[in-house]
Amino acid sequence: MSTCRPNCVMPPYILEKLLESGDGDVRRAALRTMLTTARLTGEREVRAAFAGAASAPGSGRRTVFDAGNGTFLPLAEVARTEDGPESADASVNEVFDNFGLTRDFLKEVLGRNSLDDRGMRLDGYVHFDTRFNNAFWDGRRMVFGDGDGRLFTNLAGSRTVAVHELGHGITEHTSGFEYHNQSGALNESMSDVMAAMVAQWALKQPADEADWLIGAEVFTPDIEADALRSMKAPGTAYDNPLFGRDPQPDRMSRFVHLPDTAEGDWGGVHFNSGIPNRAFHLTAVGIGGFSWEAAGAVWYEALKASARDAGFQDFADTTFRKAGELFGADSPEQMAVLAAWQEVEVEVRGVPRGMVRTRSSGPAGAGAGRQDGLAALTRQVGELNATVKALARDVAALKAAR
């Protein structure tokens, strides 16, 4: 199964909705973006045969290029390098800084040397095409459009967009989740997870204080929308006549079934990523403290241990197992993982159905989250013991009656 498709941050259902607009300029900008994105698919298939050029061992050096509103990237000019001065172009500096922040997060938090863990260079291209309402990872570099200026702003200005796209590079060099159906939704979700963690890490923000929005900066001030996606509450990022209502599901009973085609978003990868997104949010808040610590460690280890064709069930099982390996069986962290997946209606295999869903939400840094989770687990064990004793008394009474 080939996965050589450009990973774009803009959900195709938003662009498709804009094709229905009564405004000709809006329709044309959406159509241009969709046609360019479709062309990129073919180009990436060709580049796949030469994969590895950007993955040469190094130190994650950053280079940002100015595409000059063209689409032929070899003609782009170097705008800023690791050794050069700051640019007069704000877009260049924003991408350069967000690349550096991501690289530092990978090294300091995950112990990873750039996207491929071998020091892969970080190349970014700004001002791609004209009125291009998207940003994408093509397997070796990040490319940002300027937006149309009416609905969408310059996508280079969004930290979560930049990290989301770089996140595809991390997934590509770990599990390699196939970009279709549930594995494709996990691919999209892992990019959102990375984006949320890096954004919160930059602010030293506890999980329960974060907004958990992806692409909050991409809309112009005139557009009534919070973001492209909400990890905390999938399906609520926007609701307006122009884009319609955010269609992301937040649980398996609302899973969106679509064909595994380009028109079907490769089985709904941008739709159904809302389910594992919410599971991560619930886990991070349930454990308490910072998302990149316990919850992030569990998800990252699960990413490295997952198969290319893993589905939600597989990934839930892996996160539960990794939580046990990292923090101990039946630990508050493992119980938080279990409760989160149960909340989005994904049962972990090997765990009795109906096991108490325990999630902690104590104040960050105080350890209250873990204490509350342990107390709940203790109560659960006590209740089970009481039930066993009651059953033993009933059995004894029945024997005596004979």
Side-chain angles (χ1 to χ4, degrees):
M1 174 68 197
S2 173
T3 59
C4 297
R5 295 162 182 160
N7 304 112
C8 299
V9 73
M10 190 67 63
Y13 46 75
I14 287 183
L15 296 173
E16 290 167 2
K17 185 68 176 178
L18 293 179
L19 292 179
E20 302 173 6
S21 172
D23 188 316
D25 286 342
V26 170
R27 290 198 308 273
R28 282 189 288 274
L31 180 60
R32 182 184 181 92
T33 299
M34 293 178 71
L35 290 174
T36 300
T37 302
R39 175 174 58 79
L40 291 168
T41 300
E43 291 183 357
R44 186 172 181 189
E45 293 285 355
V46 173
R47 281 195 300 271
F50 303 96
S55 298
S59 57
R61 284 181 61 86
R62 297 167 290 174
T63 306
V64 181
F65 300 82
D66 184 348
N69 297 121
T71 59
F72 188 57
L73 296 182
L75 294 181
E77 297 182 355
V78 175
R80 187 173 178 184
T81 66
E82 205 71 62
D83 306 318
E86 185 173 300
S87 173
D89 187 334
S91 296
V92 171
N93 295 327
E94 286 171 325
V95 169
F96 190 83
D97 291 343
N98 286 327
F99 279 12
L101 182 68
T102 305
R103 182 184 62 188
D104 292 345
F105 174 86
L106 294 176
K107 180 179 180 180
E108 297 177 26
V109 177
L110 301 182
R112 189 175 183 84
N113 183 10
S114 192
L115 307 184
D116 62 350
D117 205 20
R118 297 175 61 234
M120 182 179 185
R121 57 190 292 179
L122 302 177
D123 291 342
Y125 291 74
V126 299
H127 307 309
F128 176 79
D129 205 355
T130 56
R131 305 180 69 198
F132 185 66
N133 295 324
N134 222 332
F136 61 89
W137 164 259
D138 72 354
R140 57 186 293 190
R141 56 200 169 196
M142 262 296 310
V143 182
F144 302 85
D146 289 337
D148 56 22
R150 292 186 56 187
L151 309 180
F152 300 98
T153 61
N154 189 338
L155 279 83
S158 174
R159 173 170 291 166
T160 50
V161 165
V163 183
H164 171 97
E165 293 306 322
L166 291 175
H168 284 300
I170 299 169
T171 296
E172 192 169 304
H173 290 283
T174 49
S175 69
F177 283 140
E178 294 177 346
Y179 202 69
H180 71 139
N181 300 328
Q182 289 192 17
S183 60
L186 286 171
N187 192 315
E188 280 295 325
S189 178
M190 282 306 309
S191 282
D192 281 351
V193 166
M194 289 294 175
M197 289 197 298
V198 171
Q200 293 168 27
W201 183 69
L203 299 173
K204 299 299 179 280
Q205 188 178 52
D208 61 351
E209 295 180 12
D211 61 22
W212 293 91
L213 297 175
I214 304 299
E217 309 87 352
V218 304
F219 296 110
T220 61
D222 295 334
I223 302 301
E224 294 184 7
D226 293 331
L228 293 175
R229 289 181 290 281
S230 169
M231 296 180 69
K232 179 179 182 179
T236 67
Y238 55 85
D239 186 0
N240 59 56
L242 192 58
F243 300 126
R245 184 174 181 177
D246 178 2
Q248 277 208 311
D250 65 350
R251 64 196 66 192
M252 285 302 292
S253 58
R254 297 173 182 171
F255 187 90
V256 179
H257 296 275
L258 291 171
D260 186 9
T261 62
E263 295 75 17
D265 187 30
W266 305 113
V269 299
H270 288 91
F271 290 79
N272 296 313
S273 60
I275 296 171
N277 273 1
R278 184 166 176 243
F280 180 76
H281 163 263
L282 291 171
T283 298
V285 173
I287 293 172
F290 298 118
S291 65
W292 61 87
E293 293 182 334
V298 169
W299 250 246
Y300 178 58
E301 291 302 318
L303 174 67
K304 294 190 294 181
S306 293
R308 291 170 55 83
D309 60 351
F312 292 174
Q313 176 80 75
D314 304 310
F315 194 69
D317 293 347
T318 304
T319 56
F320 182 74
R321 186 179 75 251
K322 289 299 178 181
E325 293 174 2
L326 291 171
F327 301 102
D330 298 331
S331 62
E333 290 84 356
Q334 191 181 47
M335 290 301 99
V337 171
L338 173 64
W341 285 112
Q342 288 182 335
E343 188 70 18
V344 299
E345 299 172 353
V346 177
E347 296 294 331
V348 174
R349 280 179 286 223
V351 175
R353 185 178 295 275
M355 189 172 181
V356 175
R357 302 177 182 184
T358 304
R359 291 199 312 277
S360 55
S361 56
R370 297 189 181 191
Q371 292 168 6
D372 290 348
L374 183 58
L377 182 60
T378 302
R379 286 195 300 273
Q380 180 186 350
V381 173
E383 290 168 359
L384 289 173
N385 285 337
T387 301
V388 170
K389 290 179 180 179
L391 288 172
R393 286 196 298 271
D394 290 343
V395 170
L398 287 172
K399 288 181 177 180
R402 290 180 182 179

